[in-house]
Amino acid sequence: MSATQDKKLTDIVIGDLMISSEKVAHVQVNNPLEHALLILVKSGYSAVPVLDSSYKLVGTIGKTRILNTVLGLERFEMEKLSETPVHEAMNTDIPCLSKTDTFMEGLKVVINYPFVCIADDEGYFDGILTRRVILKQLKRDHHTFKSNT
Ligand code: AMP
């Protein structure tokens, strides 16, 4: 039985819905952009979390940011992919939630982001919450509500 099976939306917390860190593809701050692009292309994800060497969350990196970073005046300067570390291109202006935040807090954030990172009070990465999971939960709640009326 899933952690949210019999719960009302108001009783669900982010920890019930998140994809835990072991199952989340990530890159490290000092990896070259080439490595990040490889992970993104192979996984099919548009962006992934960036962690430091102690597994603290420091940002996210996506395909668009990588391509913008290597874009020169007239061409993509692909040699920059191996020369530039992820921390020079990553997005650090990202929302972050904790496992104890509510479903509604998660819903508000995924209106503007396809996923949101979850970290603890000290910044250690716990996982991600995706828009897909929030929408699935809303659909499930809608069906449960309909079948109870
Ligand atoms: P989804 O809602 O499953 O399509 O995921 C939306 C976005 O969340 C993806 O494009 C990725 O940026 C991120 N994402 C989802 N699952 C993972 C995962 N297991 N590892 C890393 N990023 C993920």
Side-chain angles (χ1 to χ4, degrees):
M1 188 191 286
S2 87
T4 58
Q5 186 99 10
D6 296 318
K7 286 191 183 174
K8 290 189 281 182
L9 285 185
T10 45
D11 294 334
I12 293 173
V13 291
I14 304 296
D16 296 328
L17 297 175
M18 72 174 191
I19 301 173
S20 61
S21 56
E22 319 87 70
K23 295 180 187 151
V24 177
H26 73 271
V27 295
Q28 302 265 328
V29 262
N30 291 321
N31 286 153
L33 289 185
E34 190 172 31
H35 177 74
L37 192 57
L38 195 75
I39 299 283
L40 290 165
V41 171
K42 287 272 180 195
S43 65
Y45 297 136
S46 49
V48 292
V50 180
L51 308 183
D52 71 11
S53 55
S54 60
Y55 290 85
K56 285 189 177 180
L57 176 70
V58 286
T60 60
I61 187 82
K63 289 171 188 155
T64 309
R65 273 188 103 90
I66 294 177
L67 290 176
N68 267 320
T69 302
V70 301
L71 181 60
L73 282 180
E74 292 183 348
R75 65 176 187 95
F76 287 105
E77 295 163 358
M78 299 309 256
E79 60 281 4
K80 283 190 185 165
L81 282 176
S82 57
E83 295 161 1
T84 315
V86 163
H87 64 80
E88 285 184 22
M90 69 186 181
N91 183 12
T92 53
D93 185 18
I94 53 161
C96 181
L97 293 174
S98 81
K99 286 199 278 190
T100 53
D101 284 329
T102 62
F103 178 86
M104 279 312 290
E105 280 160 321
L107 173 60
K108 271 187 250 163
V109 177
V110 301
I111 289 172
N112 292 316
Y113 296 86
F115 73 97
V116 54
C117 293
I118 318 298
D120 70 13
D121 291 346
E122 292 172 72
Y124 289 104
F125 181 63
D126 282 325
I128 60 170
L129 175 72
T130 62
R131 187 183 283 158
R132 181 198 299 267
V133 167
I134 288 279
L135 288 175
K136 272 172 76 175
Q137 197 59 44
L138 277 176
K139 181 169 173 258
R140 181 183 288 185
D141 188 74
H142 175 72
H143 283 299
T144 310
F145 179 70
K146 262 203 337 197
S147 58
N148 284 339
T149 54

